[in-house]
Amino acid sequence: MDVTFKIRRYNPEIPGKDKPYWQEYVLKDVEPTNRVLEMLHRVKWEQDGTLSFRRSCSSGICGSDAMRINGRNRLACKLLIRDVGAKIQVEPILGLPVIKDLIVDMEPFFDHYRSVMPFYVNNDPLPADGRERLQTADDRAIFDDTTNCILCACCTTSCPSFWANGKYVGPAAIVQAHRFIFDSRDQAAKDRIDILAEPDGVWRCRTVYNCTPACPRGISVTRAIGEVKLAIMRGSPKGIINPKDIPTHE
Amino acid sequence: MQTHQFDAVIIGAGGAGLMAARYAVLGGAKVAVISKLYPSRSHTGAALGGIGAALGNLEEDKPLWHAYDTVKGGDYLTDQDAAMVLAEEAIDAVVELEHMGLPFDRTPEGRISQRRFGGHTSNFGEKPVRRACHSADRTGHMILQTLYQQCIKDDVKFFDEYHVVDLIMNNGKVAGVIAVQLGTGELHVFHAKALMFATGGWGRVWQISSNAHTLTGDGAAVLFRRGIPMQDMEFFQFHPTGLYGLGVLLTEGIRGEGGVLINGKGERFMEKYAPNIKDLASRDVVSRSIYLEVRAGNGVKGKNYVYLDIRPETVNRYLAEAGETRRIDDDHVRHALAETLDTCRTYVGVDPLTEPMPIQPTAHYAMGGIPTNVNAEVVLDANWTVLPGLYAAGECACVSAHGANRLGTNSLVDLVVFGRRGGMKMAEYVKQADFVPLPPNPAGEIEAELNRIRNNKGKSRAYELRNEMQQVMMDHVGVFREENGMKSAVESIKELRERYRNDVVIDDHGHKFNTDLMEAWELGCLLDLAQITAESAVARTESRGAHSREDFKDRDDVNWMVHTLATYKGSAAAIAGPINTELNFDKKVNLSLMEQDERFKPKARTY
Ligand SMILES: Cc1cc2nc3c(=O)[nH]c(=O)nc-3n(C[C@H](O)[C@H](O)[C@H](O)COP(=O)(O)OP(=O)(O)OC[C@H]3O[C@@H](n4cnc5c(N)ncnc54)[C@H](O)[C@@H]3O)c2cc1C
Ligand code: SF4
Ligand code: SF4
Ligand code: FES
């Protein structure tokens, strides 16, 4: 089948192209099971090498190729042509400065990420037997969902609160904080809770639910945010989640 | 041009680079990590099944058994001292990852959970053992995240989206690297006392590959051009279970959970090729078996693929047949193989709980690479001469713990064990070493080369050259090889290199995020590595591990218990001219375990 790509372009180096504009490309012999990323490669390789976008793994795990495809944030490598049809509109994700074509400046996103102490803290002496700390399978299950995050920014750049105010840490950073707050071995939950209780923390979330369907890893983003909000209100993550309530994996 | 100065510069932010960075920083060095991708995008994140360590959490296990499997899996080309270091330090390294917060799955006692994996056995090959420590089937993702998180905690300095394109040497000594800042296109000089290359593999040399588009062997190629030898390049692993047509990897963990390979006639064919451990034989063996089945007309629907079946009904039937009590159900598969289910549904619309998965072997892992000793120091020759200040670890390096064929889960071990050793060693080294002065205009050559590619007026588009190379290598330097095919591959690659030098053309002549230019530059690296791979393969007149020849079907321990060293002959340059490779076979395999224990003596490899 033939597929028409309509792509949002911008190149600050070239006069005339230094304002965002749309450009169309037609590809022939496209299979319904081809992936959007492969087809963007075909555009780039066969027709126009100036088209610029990030990508690496091509298997949905590195988080490089978040883009807005037919109005929704997707990873181009995880999306099949048959699921988007023969007319495909591609734009950069929203809310971050565009550098060139589909490439946006990720620094503000990573700054928010780094601001929530996204690392494990445990200052107790190591086990005397030189082995691992123990954790029950139930305690491990509590934060399983949020360990899936690949920092692709699909959630944060689909969030109206983030668009309105770039200082909001955004759902991805909250998901990352959740992963540690609810880890029974971690000891810095209180610090993270304090950070997220700030005005640009979780309370900027108005529970619009854009983020959850945007997540290519199927993380229940809004649920994680809700759990963090509850932890803040109670001043501690303890007892908020009953392992029995955790939905089975999907 | 900006110049930066650091005690130690680490190139690559995958598992190996991050582990090294952490230890170099803890050792007191001023460290920078340069990566062409954001660290969390590195391909370590794609590793699925697990990291091997003889923790013995579920059944008895010992480092010596792990070392044995590693040596045997490597078809005895493995350096036995390196295998022992790997096996012994794996335990401590995995425990350390847990201490850094890595969320391993847990046993009922709350310990790190372990599963079976191809080629890992207890008691010198007796039976499969649960050695692969895992976090669902995204262990690599968890390792990458955890190490990156700890680096953030320790305030490691990162240069993200800086692409290293040349090594700076002065009078034979290491002085630094040159990198393109991708966002601006500017060149930066990094002046350092010590450098570590941790740039990952080059699976993109082949057409069907599990590797990321960015795995183009940059680090290995840059060093090769500057005169560092490449070791054992003929050994490249094809993983048996790539998704048909795409090459996307389906983890060996599927077979670890009980999944079986089935041919077009519905037979579990691994019973024929590896009667003992069947589907869990080591990767080279399983990949070849699939090729043989297809050749015998037993592919599915007459095509070149077979099925991998994890449907509980199938698995339980075979478990019962084998007299095992374990059974699996849908829920178990859903948790243990969440990534697999997602991958199959997304890419081929197959639900592994109700249908078998179509698979074919896919180019996966470089056993060869930059030669190092067990401290990750780069060595230049058969006498193990160290080049002071230069280090390599991870997939781009060749210690050689994996010999002629790497066992599953051993790469992740390699990253943390040798990354850590390298980081410590660098911290020590920079305390007593001085900076080697920068030569005048260190970036001149590479700048000229990048401008040549940017502005060359030719007709060959980079992707066409790349496609041709990938096809040639797939056809002639893949799972099965023979002399004429490989020789024709060498000639084709040389021709492609000519066209690349004279006739390449790109569309983007700009500077900011010029991905067109960088892809074309990466193609140059792939072409260099393809050529030395094919040349090393022609020269090795035996079959061993992943190097399987139809004209020399047997392993030849009399003549070939040696490593191949391929060196670039010509004046060292930022670009490889027509390559004249010199091959040397004086480097003997280390047999230190065998000297104490008969069981490590090379023998026929059966599973
Ligand atoms: C799909 C898949 C599944 C796997 N599963 C397993 C498994 O279960 N168990 C196991 O043990 N192994 C597994 N492996 C193998 C293992 O994941 C890799 O060998 C390992 O992760 C390589 O790590 P690394 O640190 O050497 O390099 P990588 O993680 O590949 O990182 C390379 C780094 O170098 C940087 N870089 C590269 N070139 C340049 C340059 N020119 N300039 C600057 N930076 C550069 C990149 O940005 C990146 O940060 C798997 C591999 C694949 C592909
Ligand atoms: S639920 Fe909250 S974080 Fe998610 S999109 Fe809505 S406002 Fe943003
Ligand atoms: S939560 Fe999901 S959408 Fe958001 S950054 Fe993580 S993986 Fe991406
Ligand atoms: S390319 Fe890695 S997630 Fe799409």
Side-chain angles (χ1 to χ4, degrees), chain A residues 13 44-45 49 54 56 62 78 100 107 133 148 185 217, chain B residues 38 98 101 106 138 161 214 339 342 461 507-508 512 519:
Chain A
E13 283 184 283
K44 181 178 179 63
W45 293 340
R54 291 189 179 97
S56 181
C62 77
K78 252 192 132 174
K100 183 179 178 183
E107 279 308 309
R133 295 184 199 280
N148 276 298
R185 302 166 300 167
R217 302 282 293 162
Chain B
Y38 274 100
E98 196 283 330
R106 299 288 168 160
R138 53 185 131 86
E161 300 195 319
T214 47
E339 297 289 334
D342 187 44
R461 291 179 73 85
D507 297 335
D508 194 336
K512 290 190 178 186
E519 271 185 32

PDB file of all heavy atoms in Angstrom, chain A residues 13 44-45 49 54 56 62 78 100 107 133 148 185 217, chain B residues 38 98 101 106 138 161 214 339 342 461 507-508 512 519:
ATOM      1  N   GLU A  13      19.152  26.102  11.018  1.00  0.00           N
ATOM      2  CA  GLU A  13      20.359  26.494  10.276  1.00  0.00           C
ATOM      3  C   GLU A  13      20.060  26.969   8.868  1.00  0.00           C
ATOM      4  O   GLU A  13      20.937  27.529   8.210  1.00  0.00           O
ATOM      5  CB  GLU A  13      21.324  25.295  10.182  1.00  0.00           C
ATOM      6  CG  GLU A  13      22.093  25.029  11.440  1.00  0.00           C
ATOM      7  CD  GLU A  13      23.099  23.902  11.232  1.00  0.00           C
ATOM      8  OE1 GLU A  13      22.688  22.723  11.210  1.00  0.00           O
ATOM      9  OE2 GLU A  13      24.282  24.195  11.088  1.00  0.00           O
ATOM     10  N   LYS A  44      13.936   8.877   5.290  1.00  0.00           N
ATOM     11  CA  LYS A  44      15.256   9.485   5.479  1.00  0.00           C
ATOM     12  C   LYS A  44      16.282   8.899   4.503  1.00  0.00           C
ATOM     13  O   LYS A  44      17.055   9.614   3.897  1.00  0.00           O
ATOM     14  CB  LYS A  44      15.715   9.250   6.920  1.00  0.00           C
ATOM     15  CG  LYS A  44      17.076   9.853   7.256  1.00  0.00           C
ATOM     16  CD  LYS A  44      17.410   9.596   8.715  1.00  0.00           C
ATOM     17  CE  LYS A  44      18.775  10.172   9.084  1.00  0.00           C
ATOM     18  NZ  LYS A  44      18.856  11.630   8.960  1.00  0.00           N
ATOM     19  N   TRP A  45      16.283   7.584   4.362  1.00  0.00           N
ATOM     20  CA  TRP A  45      17.329   6.937   3.571  1.00  0.00           C
ATOM     21  C   TRP A  45      17.074   7.047   2.073  1.00  0.00           C
ATOM     22  O   TRP A  45      17.992   7.261   1.299  1.00  0.00           O
ATOM     23  CB  TRP A  45      17.465   5.460   4.005  1.00  0.00           C
ATOM     24  CG  TRP A  45      17.985   5.319   5.411  1.00  0.00           C
ATOM     25  CD1 TRP A  45      18.666   6.272   6.130  1.00  0.00           C
ATOM     26  CD2 TRP A  45      17.871   4.183   6.282  1.00  0.00           C
ATOM     27  NE1 TRP A  45      18.970   5.790   7.383  1.00  0.00           N
ATOM     28  CE2 TRP A  45      18.524   4.520   7.509  1.00  0.00           C
ATOM     29  CE3 TRP A  45      17.303   2.907   6.149  1.00  0.00           C
ATOM     30  CZ2 TRP A  45      18.600   3.621   8.578  1.00  0.00           C
ATOM     31  CZ3 TRP A  45      17.389   2.018   7.229  1.00  0.00           C
ATOM     32  CH2 TRP A  45      18.030   2.367   8.422  1.00  0.00           C
ATOM     33  N   GLY A  49      17.607  12.749   3.391  1.00  0.00           N
ATOM     34  CA  GLY A  49      18.516  12.509   4.521  1.00  0.00           C
ATOM     35  C   GLY A  49      18.506  13.615   5.551  1.00  0.00           C
ATOM     36  O   GLY A  49      19.048  13.439   6.644  1.00  0.00           O
ATOM     37  N   ARG A  54      15.508  11.026  16.655  1.00  0.00           N
ATOM     38  CA  ARG A  54      16.320  10.126  17.470  1.00  0.00           C
ATOM     39  C   ARG A  54      15.743   8.726  17.418  1.00  0.00           C
ATOM     40  O   ARG A  54      14.536   8.540  17.352  1.00  0.00           O
ATOM     41  CB  ARG A  54      16.312  10.552  18.933  1.00  0.00           C
ATOM     42  CG  ARG A  54      17.024  11.842  19.264  1.00  0.00           C
ATOM     43  CD  ARG A  54      17.087  11.967  20.779  1.00  0.00           C
ATOM     44  NE  ARG A  54      17.763  13.159  21.243  1.00  0.00           N
ATOM     45  CZ  ARG A  54      17.125  14.273  21.607  1.00  0.00           C
ATOM     46  NH1 ARG A  54      15.807  14.350  21.541  1.00  0.00           N
ATOM     47  NH2 ARG A  54      17.809  15.311  22.051  1.00  0.00           N
ATOM     48  N   SER A  56      17.134   4.370  18.646  1.00  0.00           N
ATOM     49  CA  SER A  56      18.249   3.461  18.843  1.00  0.00           C
ATOM     50  C   SER A  56      17.803   2.012  18.763  1.00  0.00           C
ATOM     51  O   SER A  56      18.007   1.351  17.766  1.00  0.00           O
ATOM     52  CB  SER A  56      18.985   3.736  20.153  1.00  0.00           C
ATOM     53  OG  SER A  56      20.058   2.844  20.282  1.00  0.00           O
ATOM     54  N   CYS A  62      14.443   1.584  24.616  1.00  0.00           N
ATOM     55  CA  CYS A  62      15.424   2.628  24.945  1.00  0.00           C
ATOM     56  C   CYS A  62      14.779   3.981  25.194  1.00  0.00           C
ATOM     57  O   CYS A  62      15.376   4.859  25.806  1.00  0.00           O
ATOM     58  CB  CYS A  62      16.493   2.725  23.866  1.00  0.00           C
ATOM     59  SG  CYS A  62      15.969   3.566  22.361  1.00  0.00           S
ATOM     60  N   LYS A  78       7.353   1.170  18.049  1.00  0.00           N
ATOM     61  CA  LYS A  78       6.413   0.215  18.633  1.00  0.00           C
ATOM     62  C   LYS A  78       5.049   0.299  17.981  1.00  0.00           C
ATOM     63  O   LYS A  78       4.089  -0.279  18.464  1.00  0.00           O
ATOM     64  CB  LYS A  78       6.258   0.512  20.130  1.00  0.00           C
ATOM     65  CG  LYS A  78       6.909  -0.524  21.017  1.00  0.00           C
ATOM     66  CD  LYS A  78       6.488  -0.356  22.457  1.00  0.00           C
ATOM     67  CE  LYS A  78       6.070  -1.699  23.050  1.00  0.00           C
ATOM     68  NZ  LYS A  78       5.791  -1.596  24.478  1.00  0.00           N
ATOM     69  N   LYS A 100      15.499  20.453  16.181  1.00  0.00           N
ATOM     70  CA  LYS A 100      15.505  20.245  14.737  1.00  0.00           C
ATOM     71  C   LYS A 100      14.486  19.158  14.424  1.00  0.00           C
ATOM     72  O   LYS A 100      14.528  18.096  15.065  1.00  0.00           O
ATOM     73  CB  LYS A 100      16.902  19.813  14.291  1.00  0.00           C
ATOM     74  CG  LYS A 100      17.076  19.619  12.789  1.00  0.00           C
ATOM     75  CD  LYS A 100      18.516  19.218  12.511  1.00  0.00           C
ATOM     76  CE  LYS A 100      18.780  18.950  11.052  1.00  0.00           C
ATOM     77  NZ  LYS A 100      20.165  18.490  10.843  1.00  0.00           N
ATOM     78  N   GLU A 107      16.712  18.170  27.980  1.00  0.00           N
ATOM     79  CA  GLU A 107      17.333  18.569  29.249  1.00  0.00           C
ATOM     80  C   GLU A 107      16.315  18.963  30.321  1.00  0.00           C
ATOM     81  O   GLU A 107      16.431  18.520  31.463  1.00  0.00           O
ATOM     82  CB  GLU A 107      18.364  19.676  29.033  1.00  0.00           C
ATOM     83  CG  GLU A 107      19.722  19.150  28.549  1.00  0.00           C
ATOM     84  CD  GLU A 107      20.290  18.030  29.411  1.00  0.00           C
ATOM     85  OE1 GLU A 107      20.365  18.199  30.639  1.00  0.00           O
ATOM     86  OE2 GLU A 107      20.644  16.974  28.858  1.00  0.00           O
ATOM     87  N   ARG A 133      20.342  -7.941  50.732  1.00  0.00           N
ATOM     88  CA  ARG A 133      19.310  -7.649  51.712  1.00  0.00           C
ATOM     89  C   ARG A 133      18.080  -8.460  51.314  1.00  0.00           C
ATOM     90  O   ARG A 133      17.847  -8.701  50.126  1.00  0.00           O
ATOM     91  CB  ARG A 133      18.949  -6.169  51.684  1.00  0.00           C
ATOM     92  CG  ARG A 133      20.074  -5.238  52.106  1.00  0.00           C
ATOM     93  CD  ARG A 133      19.590  -3.793  52.128  1.00  0.00           C
ATOM     94  NE  ARG A 133      20.706  -2.860  52.082  1.00  0.00           N
ATOM     95  CZ  ARG A 133      21.458  -2.521  53.124  1.00  0.00           C
ATOM     96  NH1 ARG A 133      21.212  -3.043  54.316  1.00  0.00           N
ATOM     97  NH2 ARG A 133      22.459  -1.671  53.004  1.00  0.00           N
ATOM     98  N   ASN A 148       9.216  -0.157  35.399  1.00  0.00           N
ATOM     99  CA  ASN A 148       9.213  -0.327  33.946  1.00  0.00           C
ATOM    100  C   ASN A 148       9.596   0.924  33.170  1.00  0.00           C
ATOM    101  O   ASN A 148       9.807   0.876  31.963  1.00  0.00           O
ATOM    102  CB  ASN A 148       7.816  -0.733  33.477  1.00  0.00           C
ATOM    103  CG  ASN A 148       7.588  -2.213  33.607  1.00  0.00           C
ATOM    104  OD1 ASN A 148       8.280  -2.993  32.967  1.00  0.00           O
ATOM    105  ND2 ASN A 148       6.639  -2.615  34.431  1.00  0.00           N
ATOM    106  N   ARG A 185      13.073  -1.380  50.872  1.00  0.00           N
ATOM    107  CA  ARG A 185      14.474  -1.304  51.303  1.00  0.00           C
ATOM    108  C   ARG A 185      14.992   0.123  51.361  1.00  0.00           C
ATOM    109  O   ARG A 185      16.051   0.393  51.916  1.00  0.00           O
ATOM    110  CB  ARG A 185      15.361  -2.080  50.308  1.00  0.00           C
ATOM    111  CG  ARG A 185      15.003  -3.541  50.127  1.00  0.00           C
ATOM    112  CD  ARG A 185      15.703  -4.111  48.890  1.00  0.00           C
ATOM    113  NE  ARG A 185      15.307  -3.385  47.672  1.00  0.00           N
ATOM    114  CZ  ARG A 185      15.917  -3.480  46.511  1.00  0.00           C
ATOM    115  NH1 ARG A 185      16.970  -4.260  46.370  1.00  0.00           N
ATOM    116  NH2 ARG A 185      15.491  -2.783  45.457  1.00  0.00           N
ATOM    117  N   ARG A 217       4.861   1.728  28.036  1.00  0.00           N
ATOM    118  CA  ARG A 217       5.218   0.599  28.886  1.00  0.00           C
ATOM    119  C   ARG A 217       4.027   0.116  29.695  1.00  0.00           C
ATOM    120  O   ARG A 217       4.183  -0.747  30.559  1.00  0.00           O
ATOM    121  CB  ARG A 217       6.362   0.992  29.828  1.00  0.00           C
ATOM    122  CG  ARG A 217       7.607   1.472  29.100  1.00  0.00           C
ATOM    123  CD  ARG A 217       8.419   0.361  28.530  1.00  0.00           C
ATOM    124  NE  ARG A 217       9.001  -0.450  29.575  1.00  0.00           N
ATOM    125  CZ  ARG A 217       9.469  -1.681  29.397  1.00  0.00           C
ATOM    126  NH1 ARG A 217       9.397  -2.239  28.201  1.00  0.00           N
ATOM    127  NH2 ARG A 217       9.990  -2.356  30.388  1.00  0.00           N
TER     128      ARG A 217
ATOM    129  N   TYR B  38      21.752   9.327  25.405  1.00  0.00           N
ATOM    130  CA  TYR B  38      21.518   9.487  26.833  1.00  0.00           C
ATOM    131  C   TYR B  38      21.790   8.132  27.479  1.00  0.00           C
ATOM    132  O   TYR B  38      21.404   7.095  26.923  1.00  0.00           O
ATOM    133  CB  TYR B  38      20.070   9.912  27.086  1.00  0.00           C
ATOM    134  CG  TYR B  38      19.896  11.406  27.003  1.00  0.00           C
ATOM    135  CD1 TYR B  38      19.379  12.015  25.872  1.00  0.00           C
ATOM    136  CD2 TYR B  38      20.292  12.216  28.069  1.00  0.00           C
ATOM    137  CE1 TYR B  38      19.243  13.394  25.794  1.00  0.00           C
ATOM    138  CE2 TYR B  38      20.166  13.585  28.000  1.00  0.00           C
ATOM    139  CZ  TYR B  38      19.644  14.178  26.869  1.00  0.00           C
ATOM    140  OH  TYR B  38      19.526  15.530  26.801  1.00  0.00           O
ATOM    141  N   GLU B  98      22.389  -5.522  43.999  1.00  0.00           N
ATOM    142  CA  GLU B  98      21.238  -5.521  44.923  1.00  0.00           C
ATOM    143  C   GLU B  98      21.416  -4.420  45.965  1.00  0.00           C
ATOM    144  O   GLU B  98      20.483  -3.676  46.268  1.00  0.00           O
ATOM    145  CB  GLU B  98      21.098  -6.898  45.601  1.00  0.00           C
ATOM    146  CG  GLU B  98      19.736  -7.127  46.266  1.00  0.00           C
ATOM    147  CD  GLU B  98      19.550  -6.428  47.597  1.00  0.00           C
ATOM    148  OE1 GLU B  98      20.535  -6.220  48.329  1.00  0.00           O
ATOM    149  OE2 GLU B  98      18.406  -6.077  47.929  1.00  0.00           O
ATOM    150  N   GLY B 101      20.289  -1.225  44.951  1.00  0.00           N
ATOM    151  CA  GLY B 101      18.840  -1.054  44.846  1.00  0.00           C
ATOM    152  C   GLY B 101      18.195  -1.830  43.725  1.00  0.00           C
ATOM    153  O   GLY B 101      16.985  -1.745  43.517  1.00  0.00           O
ATOM    154  N   ARG B 106      12.308 -12.172  43.757  1.00  0.00           N
ATOM    155  CA  ARG B 106      12.699 -12.786  45.022  1.00  0.00           C
ATOM    156  C   ARG B 106      12.221 -14.227  45.142  1.00  0.00           C
ATOM    157  O   ARG B 106      11.175 -14.585  44.604  1.00  0.00           O
ATOM    158  CB  ARG B 106      12.127 -11.968  46.174  1.00  0.00           C
ATOM    159  CG  ARG B 106      12.625 -10.535  46.228  1.00  0.00           C
ATOM    160  CD  ARG B 106      14.069 -10.458  46.667  1.00  0.00           C
ATOM    161  NE  ARG B 106      14.641  -9.128  46.460  1.00  0.00           N
ATOM    162  CZ  ARG B 106      15.727  -8.701  47.094  1.00  0.00           C
ATOM    163  NH1 ARG B 106      16.368  -9.476  47.948  1.00  0.00           N
ATOM    164  NH2 ARG B 106      16.210  -7.495  46.862  1.00  0.00           N
ATOM    165  N   ARG B 138      13.446  -8.172  32.270  1.00  0.00           N
ATOM    166  CA  ARG B 138      14.051  -6.891  31.912  1.00  0.00           C
ATOM    167  C   ARG B 138      15.234  -6.591  32.826  1.00  0.00           C
ATOM    168  O   ARG B 138      15.418  -5.480  33.317  1.00  0.00           O
ATOM    169  CB  ARG B 138      13.016  -5.778  31.922  1.00  0.00           C
ATOM    170  CG  ARG B 138      12.225  -5.658  33.191  1.00  0.00           C
ATOM    171  CD  ARG B 138      11.133  -4.593  33.080  1.00  0.00           C
ATOM    172  NE  ARG B 138       9.879  -5.112  33.525  1.00  0.00           N
ATOM    173  CZ  ARG B 138       9.468  -5.129  34.801  1.00  0.00           C
ATOM    174  NH1 ARG B 138      10.208  -4.612  35.721  1.00  0.00           N
ATOM    175  NH2 ARG B 138       8.325  -5.643  35.144  1.00  0.00           N
ATOM    176  N   GLU B 161      24.991  12.801  24.525  1.00  0.00           N
ATOM    177  CA  GLU B 161      24.881  13.122  23.101  1.00  0.00           C
ATOM    178  C   GLU B 161      26.135  13.818  22.589  1.00  0.00           C
ATOM    179  O   GLU B 161      26.085  14.804  21.862  1.00  0.00           O
ATOM    180  CB  GLU B 161      23.582  13.888  22.820  1.00  0.00           C
ATOM    181  CG  GLU B 161      22.360  13.041  23.215  1.00  0.00           C
ATOM    182  CD  GLU B 161      21.032  13.535  22.660  1.00  0.00           C
ATOM    183  OE1 GLU B 161      20.819  14.755  22.652  1.00  0.00           O
ATOM    184  OE2 GLU B 161      20.210  12.685  22.219  1.00  0.00           O
ATOM    185  N   THR B 214      22.204   1.911  16.729  1.00  0.00           N
ATOM    186  CA  THR B 214      23.409   2.653  17.091  1.00  0.00           C
ATOM    187  C   THR B 214      24.589   1.745  17.432  1.00  0.00           C
ATOM    188  O   THR B 214      25.663   2.243  17.754  1.00  0.00           O
ATOM    189  CB  THR B 214      23.107   3.525  18.318  1.00  0.00           C
ATOM    190  OG1 THR B 214      22.419   2.721  19.279  1.00  0.00           O
ATOM    191  CG2 THR B 214      22.232   4.710  17.937  1.00  0.00           C
ATOM    192  N   GLU B 339       7.821  -8.975  28.896  1.00  0.00           N
ATOM    193  CA  GLU B 339       8.380  -8.283  27.724  1.00  0.00           C
ATOM    194  C   GLU B 339       8.134  -9.095  26.459  1.00  0.00           C
ATOM    195  O   GLU B 339       7.823  -8.558  25.397  1.00  0.00           O
ATOM    196  CB  GLU B 339       9.893  -8.076  27.870  1.00  0.00           C
ATOM    197  CG  GLU B 339      10.296  -7.192  29.021  1.00  0.00           C
ATOM    198  CD  GLU B 339       9.953  -5.716  28.793  1.00  0.00           C
ATOM    199  OE1 GLU B 339       9.863  -5.294  27.624  1.00  0.00           O
ATOM    200  OE2 GLU B 339       9.781  -5.009  29.790  1.00  0.00           O
ATOM    201  N   ASP B 342       4.615  -8.813  25.212  1.00  0.00           N
ATOM    202  CA  ASP B 342       4.416  -7.496  24.626  1.00  0.00           C
ATOM    203  C   ASP B 342       5.069  -7.419  23.238  1.00  0.00           C
ATOM    204  O   ASP B 342       4.467  -6.957  22.269  1.00  0.00           O
ATOM    205  CB  ASP B 342       5.023  -6.451  25.577  1.00  0.00           C
ATOM    206  CG  ASP B 342       4.709  -5.035  25.118  1.00  0.00           C
ATOM    207  OD1 ASP B 342       3.543  -4.804  24.750  1.00  0.00           O
ATOM    208  OD2 ASP B 342       5.612  -4.187  25.127  1.00  0.00           O
ATOM    209  N   ARG B 461      24.395   6.340  -1.890  1.00  0.00           N
ATOM    210  CA  ARG B 461      23.803   6.751  -0.619  1.00  0.00           C
ATOM    211  C   ARG B 461      24.266   5.770   0.463  1.00  0.00           C
ATOM    212  O   ARG B 461      24.367   4.569   0.228  1.00  0.00           O
ATOM    213  CB  ARG B 461      22.278   6.779  -0.729  1.00  0.00           C
ATOM    214  CG  ARG B 461      21.788   7.903  -1.655  1.00  0.00           C
ATOM    215  CD  ARG B 461      20.296   7.910  -1.789  1.00  0.00           C
ATOM    216  NE  ARG B 461      19.605   8.393  -0.594  1.00  0.00           N
ATOM    217  CZ  ARG B 461      19.377   9.682  -0.325  1.00  0.00           C
ATOM    218  NH1 ARG B 461      19.795  10.623  -1.145  1.00  0.00           N
ATOM    219  NH2 ARG B 461      18.730  10.031   0.763  1.00  0.00           N
ATOM    220  N   ASP B 507      22.609  14.007   2.247  1.00  0.00           N
ATOM    221  CA  ASP B 507      21.778  15.180   1.917  1.00  0.00           C
ATOM    222  C   ASP B 507      21.976  16.347   2.872  1.00  0.00           C
ATOM    223  O   ASP B 507      21.755  17.498   2.524  1.00  0.00           O
ATOM    224  CB  ASP B 507      20.288  14.799   1.990  1.00  0.00           C
ATOM    225  CG  ASP B 507      19.918  13.747   0.962  1.00  0.00           C
ATOM    226  OD1 ASP B 507      20.626  13.661  -0.067  1.00  0.00           O
ATOM    227  OD2 ASP B 507      18.940  13.005   1.200  1.00  0.00           O
ATOM    228  N   ASP B 508      22.307  16.033   4.118  1.00  0.00           N
ATOM    229  CA  ASP B 508      22.335  17.077   5.143  1.00  0.00           C
ATOM    230  C   ASP B 508      23.746  17.654   5.240  1.00  0.00           C
ATOM    231  O   ASP B 508      24.677  16.946   5.622  1.00  0.00           O
ATOM    232  CB  ASP B 508      21.890  16.464   6.487  1.00  0.00           C
ATOM    233  CG  ASP B 508      21.553  17.528   7.512  1.00  0.00           C
ATOM    234  OD1 ASP B 508      22.066  18.658   7.398  1.00  0.00           O
ATOM    235  OD2 ASP B 508      20.767  17.222   8.440  1.00  0.00           O
ATOM    236  N   LYS B 512      23.983  21.185  13.153  1.00  0.00           N
ATOM    237  CA  LYS B 512      23.188  20.774  14.305  1.00  0.00           C
ATOM    238  C   LYS B 512      22.528  19.423  14.073  1.00  0.00           C
ATOM    239  O   LYS B 512      21.859  19.242  13.056  1.00  0.00           O
ATOM    240  CB  LYS B 512      22.080  21.797  14.564  1.00  0.00           C
ATOM    241  CG  LYS B 512      22.604  23.104  15.076  1.00  0.00           C
ATOM    242  CD  LYS B 512      21.498  24.003  15.562  1.00  0.00           C
ATOM    243  CE  LYS B 512      22.176  25.253  16.097  1.00  0.00           C
ATOM    244  NZ  LYS B 512      21.302  26.186  16.733  1.00  0.00           N
ATOM    245  N   GLU B 519      25.413   8.955  10.785  1.00  0.00           N
ATOM    246  CA  GLU B 519      25.128   7.599  10.304  1.00  0.00           C
ATOM    247  C   GLU B 519      26.133   7.174   9.243  1.00  0.00           C
ATOM    248  O   GLU B 519      26.561   6.022   9.199  1.00  0.00           O
ATOM    249  CB  GLU B 519      23.729   7.536   9.673  1.00  0.00           C
ATOM    250  CG  GLU B 519      22.629   7.217  10.633  1.00  0.00           C
ATOM    251  CD  GLU B 519      21.292   7.047   9.906  1.00  0.00           C
ATOM    252  OE1 GLU B 519      21.261   6.581   8.746  1.00  0.00           O
ATOM    253  OE2 GLU B 519      20.271   7.407  10.515  1.00  0.00           O
TER     254      GLU B 519
END
